[in-house]
């Protein structure tokens, strides 16, 4: 029974050590290990761009909701061509668009490519450009009332209609390529001459697909001016450097904390060291599970939370020492220490949590990650501090084999 | 046991000696606001060879950007801060640097429009106010209103010391600074609450004859080891980040270090004593039922 308690502690130690080792230490050939590979790295850690664009009014085109939609469609199309993974494109407010792209070699070139106006052209099979976006006045998706099939209706302006009539008359049976930014969007066949300036493109799977093409055509027909409101690019070199440096710094800081705890608090210090390793693993697990993106500020928040997480242990151990000095037995001192420390830990953590939540709600994007890791850290530290540390101390005290006061007190 | 609480006017004085110059600096020249708040652009490049500020400045002058701030870090890395410029100007500047100074890699290129900067500043102030109010409400609920007030005095103390030092030494502040100040508030309130918790407990157990002054003093000593040890562990991490963590968030870590020292000080030497003074000087307010947990 007594030996059983020590055994349990040993099992906890082995499990904790194993889990954290496989979580942090890369194992070749096992794709889901380590855990750290499952955590998305933010733009500032692997290089990338964060741009806030705003559609602005020009003489030619107004920044209408449709204009913003067209810009988003066009940006999506362009970004897809970069072949990057998981780009973020989202609308903010009425006329702002946030674009985030990670892992690009030349982020500034990407920004340049993104904001140039869309260039739409129509080319015959021999590659001659016969019409451009300037000739097109509108493009709308619709369901054909007769065939019930989705289609895109093009409307040419008077000049475009004239050219279009000539081109279609001369190229019946051949194809007219539609290119956006030099990239082929569609290659419909000219079935008959169209003299009235209204063209119909058919053959879509769904109305949604027709809508996508119509939006892209309109973005070339009515180019929107996009202004950069905010741009943050980080080269891949700086990102890798930041990651490496913060991991090294974190490891050293972490080591110093563990060493201090063991030297100052002895056996309980050792217990808290185990708790802290479990804490770090759990936080990373939660981040991976929620698919959170770890930014540099997020890493700093995580590392800082290690320093703060140990606070719960320190409060408890100080109480434990007080209780032991009054001559209590080890087992009752452990219980009393936890009971008295609990309120202080709860109140202290709730207020910090309030600060973290407010930070998360109000803070600008780049420090949201910091607030998130800080908040998750506080919650998990309550668990490791109040549950895991307590459990291990109980087992140790209950074993009756490691109860020399010298292990707990100076 | 040294009686902290009786000597409190000296602690107030020490704090004021740091806070007052900071406030004066804040009033007369404010903060060195980075592009996050003012709008502007920040470009960090690394050249393949050693370069001088003069070379870089000569190129910038050619672009009409002679008023930019140019900072060397190491002898190949250069940080350039300019006012609000267009994307085209930005690209032209980098291109000229590459042609006229030497081959370079762009490490970082940030541009913030003036509108965004203004929005950010407003949100930062809003966040600080919201956090302060929420914290007072929580403490007033869990402890008593006057302890909430005392905690806010301590918070204000830490915020003023950190912001004041950044103003005095003209260290640039960006959006991460807002996060730092909020974290400091969280940390400081944490420390204060642990002490208030002990005061609450000791006051309940104290004999009627024991002066409140002595109860507070005893509570400070009871929690002293915790106050110092927690700050020490947090400091370990901050020192490692400051010296090894890279340049990007250095000012952020510095703010946290100042805040941790100030927060430890204020929780011991300011919060408890101020509460005592509030108790003595302010008329007794009726405490709502159930205010004590």
């Amino acid at each position: 029974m007594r030996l059983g308690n020590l055994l349990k502690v040993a099992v906890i130690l082995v499990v904790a050590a194993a889990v954290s080792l496989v979580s942090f230490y890369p194992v070749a050939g096992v794709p889901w290990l380590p855990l750290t590979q499952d955590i998305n790295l933010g733009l500032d850690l692997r290089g990338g761009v964060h741009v806030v664009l705003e559609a602005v009014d020009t003489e030619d085109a107004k920044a209408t909701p449709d204009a913003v939609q067209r810009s988003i469609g066009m940006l999506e199309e362009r970004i897809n061509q970069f072949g990057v993974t998981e780009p973020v494109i989202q609308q903010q407010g009425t006329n702002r668009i946030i674009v985030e792209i990670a892992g690009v070699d030349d982020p500034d070139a990407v920004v340049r490519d993104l904001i140039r106006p869309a260039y739409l052209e129509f080319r015959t099979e021999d590659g001659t450009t016969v019409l451009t976006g300037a000739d097109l006045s509108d493009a709308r998706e619709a369901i054909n009332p007769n065939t019930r099939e989705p289609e895109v209706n093009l409307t040419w302006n008077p000049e475009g209609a004239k050219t279009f009539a000539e081109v279609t008359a001369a190229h019946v049976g051949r194809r007219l390529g539609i290119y956006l930014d030099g990239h082929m969007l569609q290659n419909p066949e000219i079935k008959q001459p169209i003299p009235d300036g209204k063209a119909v493109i058919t053959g879509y799977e769904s109305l949604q697909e027709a809508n996508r093409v119509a939006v892209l055509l309109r973005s070339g027909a009515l180019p929107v001016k996009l202004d950069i409101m905010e741009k943050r690019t980080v080269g891949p070199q700086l990102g890798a450097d930041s990651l490496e440096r913060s991991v090294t710094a974190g490891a050293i800081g972490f080591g110093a904390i563990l060493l201090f705890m063991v030297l100052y608090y002895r056996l309980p210090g050792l217990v808290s060291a185990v708790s802290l390793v479990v804490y770090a693993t759990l936080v990373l697990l939660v981040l991976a599970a929620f698919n959170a993106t770890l930014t540099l500020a997020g890493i700093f928040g995580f590392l800082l939370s290690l320093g703060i997480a140990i606070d719960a242990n320190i409060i408890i151990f100080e109480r434990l020492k007080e209780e032991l000095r009054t001559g209590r037995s080890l087992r009752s001192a452990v219980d009393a220490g936890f009971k008295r420390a609990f309120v202080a830990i709860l109140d202290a953590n709730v207020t910090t949590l309030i600060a973290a939540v407010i930070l998360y709600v109000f803070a600008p994007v780049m420090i949201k990650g910091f607030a998130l890791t800080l908040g998750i850290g506080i919650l998990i530290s309550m668990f490791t501090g109040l549950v895991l540390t307590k459990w291990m101390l109980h087992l140790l005290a209950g074993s009756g084999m490691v109860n020399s006061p010298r292990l707990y007190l100076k | 046991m040294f009686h902290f609480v009786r000597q409190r006017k000296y602690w107030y004085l020490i704090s004021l000696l740091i806070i007052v110059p900071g406030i004066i600096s804040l009033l007369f020249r404010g903060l060195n606001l980075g592009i996050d708040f003012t709008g502007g652009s920040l470009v960090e490049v690394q050249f393949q060879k050693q370069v001088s500020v003069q070379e870089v400045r000569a190129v910038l002058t050619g672009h009409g950007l002679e008023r930019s701030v140019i900072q060397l870090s190491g002898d190949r890395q250069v940080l350039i801060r300019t006012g609000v410029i267009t994307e085209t100007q930005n690209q032209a500047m980098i291109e000229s640097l590459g042609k006229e100074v030497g081959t370079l890699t762009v490490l970082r290129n940030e541009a913030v429009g003036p509108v965004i900067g203004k929005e950010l500043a407003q949100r930062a102030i809003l966040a600080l106010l919201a956090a302060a109010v929420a914290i007072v409400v929580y403490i007033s609920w869990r402890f008593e209103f006057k302890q909430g007030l005392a905690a806010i005095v301590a918070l204000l103390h830490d915020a003023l010391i950190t912001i004041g030092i950044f103003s005095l030494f003209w260290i640039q502040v960006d959006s991460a600074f807002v996060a730092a100040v909020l974290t400091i508030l969280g940390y400081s309130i944490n420390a204060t609450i642990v002490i208030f918790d002990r005061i609450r407990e000791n006051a309940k157990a104290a004999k009627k004859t024991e002066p409140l002054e002595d109860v507070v003093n005893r509570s400070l000593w009871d929690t002293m080891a915790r106050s110092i040890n927690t700050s020490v562990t947090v400091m370990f991490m901050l020192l490692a980040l400051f010296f090894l963590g890279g340049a990007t968030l250095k000012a952020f870590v510095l703010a946290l270090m100042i805040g941790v020292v100030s927060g430890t000080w204020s929780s011991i030497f300011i919060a408890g004593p101020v509460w005592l003074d509030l108790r003595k000087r302010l008329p007794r307010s009726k405490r709502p039922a159930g205010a004590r947990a």
Side-chain angles (χ1 to χ4, degrees):
Chain A
M1 152 81 193
R2 292 183 156 187
L3 207 60
N5 275 358
L6 272 190
L7 263 175
K8 277 184 198 159
V9 175
V11 170
I12 296 175
L13 275 180
V14 172
V15 170
V19 169
S20 18
L21 264 184
V22 290
S23 301
F24 295 108
Y25 200 78
V27 181
V30 189
W32 52 274
L33 295 174
L35 169 67
T36 39
Q37 280 180 354
D38 279 341
I39 295 177
N40 303 320
L41 293 181
L43 303 173
D44 50 355
L45 294 175
R46 40 177 185 155
V49 230
H50 167 97
V51 217
V52 180
L53 301 167
E54 189 170 280
V56 288
D57 290 338
T58 57
E59 283 174 20
D60 300 332
K62 290 264 177 275
T64 56
D66 177 58
V68 176
Q69 277 313 305
R70 281 185 278 128
S71 308
I72 291 176
M74 184 197 73
L75 290 169
E76 278 170 350
E77 185 70 15
R78 283 182 181 164
I79 291 168
N80 285 338
Q81 286 166 39
F82 297 144
V84 293
T85 51
E86 294 178 45
V88 175
I89 305 165
Q90 65 188 72
Q91 193 172 343
Q92 182 195 41
T94 50
N95 52 357
R96 282 190 196 161
I97 305 163
I98 300 175
V99 180
E100 286 185 350
I101 308 168
V104 281
D105 285 334
D106 189 350
D108 280 311
V110 168
V111 174
R112 273 194 303 267
D113 276 351
L114 284 181
I115 57 165
R116 73 194 145 84
Y119 186 61
L120 184 68
E121 53 192 329
F122 297 80
R123 295 184 198 159
T124 51
E125 279 178 359
D126 59 4
T128 321
T129 300
V130 287
L131 289 152
T132 67
D135 303 310
L136 192 67
S137 62
D138 205 359
R140 298 281 160 188
E141 76 281 5
I143 295 279
N144 187 306
N146 303 321
T147 60
R148 315 294 308 159
E149 275 175 10
E151 59 183 32
V152 173
N153 296 309
L154 305 185
T155 313
W156 298 98
N157 62 26
E159 207 155 310
K162 226 173 91 198
T163 320
F164 190 63
E166 286 162 20
V167 171
T168 48
H171 293 84
V172 173
R174 279 186 272 169
R175 292 183 177 274
L176 184 68
I178 306 175
Y179 292 79
L180 186 69
D181 300 332
H183 182 82
M184 189 193 279
L185 204 62
Q186 285 236 285
N187 200 16
E189 193 189 325
I190 302 170
K191 290 182 176 148
Q192 66 206 50
I194 303 169
D196 64 348
K198 298 228 183 259
V200 180
I201 311 173
T202 53
Y204 298 101
E205 294 277 317
S206 62
L207 188 64
Q208 225 175 348
E209 193 193 334
N211 169 266
R212 193 187 73 89
V213 173
V215 163
L216 289 173
L217 290 174
R218 291 208 298 279
S219 76
L222 312 161
V224 184
K225 188 169 181 319
L226 292 176
D227 267 3
I228 299 178
M229 300 296 288
E230 183 185 347
K231 176 188 79 167
R232 293 172 195 274
T233 70
V234 174
Q237 188 191 342
L238 182 68
D241 187 54
S242 299
L243 181 63
E244 196 189 302
R245 279 169 180 273
S246 53
V247 169
T248 311
I252 290 173
F254 191 48
I257 291 175
L258 296 189
L259 194 67
F260 173 79
M261 288 304 284
V262 174
L263 289 180
Y264 193 94
Y265 289 107
R266 310 198 170 192
L267 187 67
L270 202 61
V271 167
S272 74
V274 177
S275 274
L276 199 60
V277 171
V278 173
Y279 164 80
T281 313
L282 282 180
V283 172
L284 291 178
L285 258 173
V286 168
L287 288 178
F290 281 98
N291 215 5
T293 298
L294 201 60
T295 59
L296 184 60
I299 292 186
F300 277 46
F302 167 63
L303 293 175
L304 192 63
S305 77
L306 287 171
I308 295 172
I310 208 73
D311 183 47
N313 288 289
I314 291 177
I315 294 175
I316 292 162
F317 298 163
E318 287 298 332
R319 283 291 189 160
L320 176 65
K321 278 162 75 169
E322 278 176 48
E323 300 297 332
L324 282 173
R325 281 198 210 101
T326 62
R328 275 182 192 254
S329 78
L330 185 56
R331 294 179 71 163
S332 75
V334 169
D335 281 335
F338 270 92
K339 211 175 136 201
R340 305 189 125 192
F342 180 77
V343 186
I345 295 171
L346 183 75
D347 279 337
N349 281 308
V350 169
T351 41
T352 316
L353 198 59
I354 290 173
V357 169
I358 287 171
L359 192 53
Y360 187 79
V361 173
F362 291 101
V365 188
M366 52 270 187
I367 47 181
K368 272 204 189 329
F370 173 77
L372 185 71
T373 45
L374 198 64
I376 291 174
I378 292 162
L379 291 175
I380 295 178
S381 74
M382 300 257 288
F383 166 74
T384 52
L386 291 171
V387 179
L388 189 66
T389 307
K390 186 178 179 180
W391 189 31
M392 283 193 282
L393 276 180
H394 258 290
L395 289 174
L396 286 174
S399 77
M401 298 174 93
V402 278
N403 54 3
S404 151
R406 292 193 49 205
L407 289 168
Y408 297 86
L409 286 168
K410 267 189 210 142
Chain B
M1 211 157 36
F2 181 71
H3 208 302
F4 278 124
V5 179
R6 270 189 214 133
Q7 309 295 327
R8 59 184 179 275
K9 56 174 182 273
Y10 296 109
W11 317 137
Y12 295 164
L13 195 67
I14 292 173
S15 286
L16 285 176
L17 281 177
I18 304 173
I19 291 175
V20 170
I23 292 181
I24 291 172
S25 170
L26 272 173
L27 287 178
F28 284 95
R29 58 174 190 172
L31 282 165
N32 181 358
L33 295 174
I35 62 161
D36 283 356
F37 296 109
T38 59
S41 108
L42 178 155
V43 179
E44 193 175 357
V45 291
Q46 179 169 321
F47 289 95
Q48 283 186 355
K49 58 168 183 107
Q50 198 174 326
V51 293
S52 70
V53 172
Q54 285 75 21
E55 288 174 273
V56 175
R57 186 166 301 280
V59 173
L60 293 193
T61 307
H63 284 267
L65 299 170
E66 53 276 350
R67 293 183 60 195
S68 313
V69 179
I70 301 166
Q71 242 177 302
L72 275 185
S73 63
D75 38 71
R76 298 192 295 128
Q77 281 182 17
V78 184
L79 194 70
I80 303 162
R81 290 194 183 89
T82 68
V84 179
I85 56 175
T86 65
E87 182 65 16
T88 324
Q89 281 177 295
N90 178 310
Q91 294 304 329
M93 173 184 86
I94 295 172
E95 206 171 298
S96 301
L97 283 173
K99 273 188 194 139
E100 291 163 43
V101 181
T103 316
L104 58 81
T105 321
V106 177
L107 297 177
R108 191 149 67 113
N109 187 351
E110 302 184 349
V112 181
V115 183
I116 297 265
K118 222 175 173 180
E119 287 175 6
L120 184 75
Q122 283 167 354
R123 286 176 81 170
I125 292 168
L126 192 65
L128 287 172
L129 285 178
V133 170
I135 287 170
V136 180
V137 169
Y138 182 78
I139 298 181
S140 303
W141 172 54
R142 294 290 294 163
F143 295 84
E144 57 174 88
F145 180 61
K146 278 174 193 163
Q147 273 172 319
L149 279 186
I152 286 299
V153 171
L155 284 190
L156 213 58
H157 170 275
D158 301 328
L160 284 176
I161 283 196
T162 313
I163 300 171
I165 289 179
F166 267 65
S167 170
L168 274 176
F169 292 94
W170 208 237
I171 307 167
Q172 196 163 58
V173 301
D174 55 16
S175 55
F177 184 74
V178 180
V181 172
L182 269 172
T183 311
I184 290 165
L185 299 192
Y187 179 83
S188 162
I189 203 73
N190 217 317
T192 303
I193 281 186
V194 174
I195 292 170
F196 280 178
D197 171 76
R198 187 51 86 100
I199 294 176
R200 178 169 63 186
E201 184 185 322
N202 284 348
K204 255 189 236 167
K207 292 189 193 91
K208 283 254 160 74
T209 51
E210 189 181 6
L212 197 56
E213 233 175 37
D214 293 350
V215 177
V216 172
N217 194 54
R218 194 148 50 82
S219 309
L220 291 180
W221 275 109
D222 284 347
T223 48
M224 191 62 69
R226 176 266 159 196
S227 297
I228 292 169
N229 287 354
T230 296
S231 305
V232 164
T233 53
V234 173
M235 226 27 163
F236 280 151
M237 196 47 97
L238 290 175
L239 283 170
L241 286 174
F242 186 77
F243 288 109
L244 307 167
T248 315
L249 288 176
K250 210 157 215 164
F252 169 75
V253 177
L254 182 68
L256 286 175
M257 292 203 290
I258 297 170
V260 166
V261 174
S262 166
T264 310
W265 170 271
S266 73
S267 63
I268 301 171
F269 297 92
I270 304 292
V274 164
W275 172 64
L276 202 64
D277 283 330
L278 285 176
R279 262 274 171 113
K280 285 183 170 171
R281 312 246 155 106
L282 284 187
R284 271 191 95 100
S285 57
K286 265 189 213 151
R287 200 181 303 145
R292 280 207 173 182

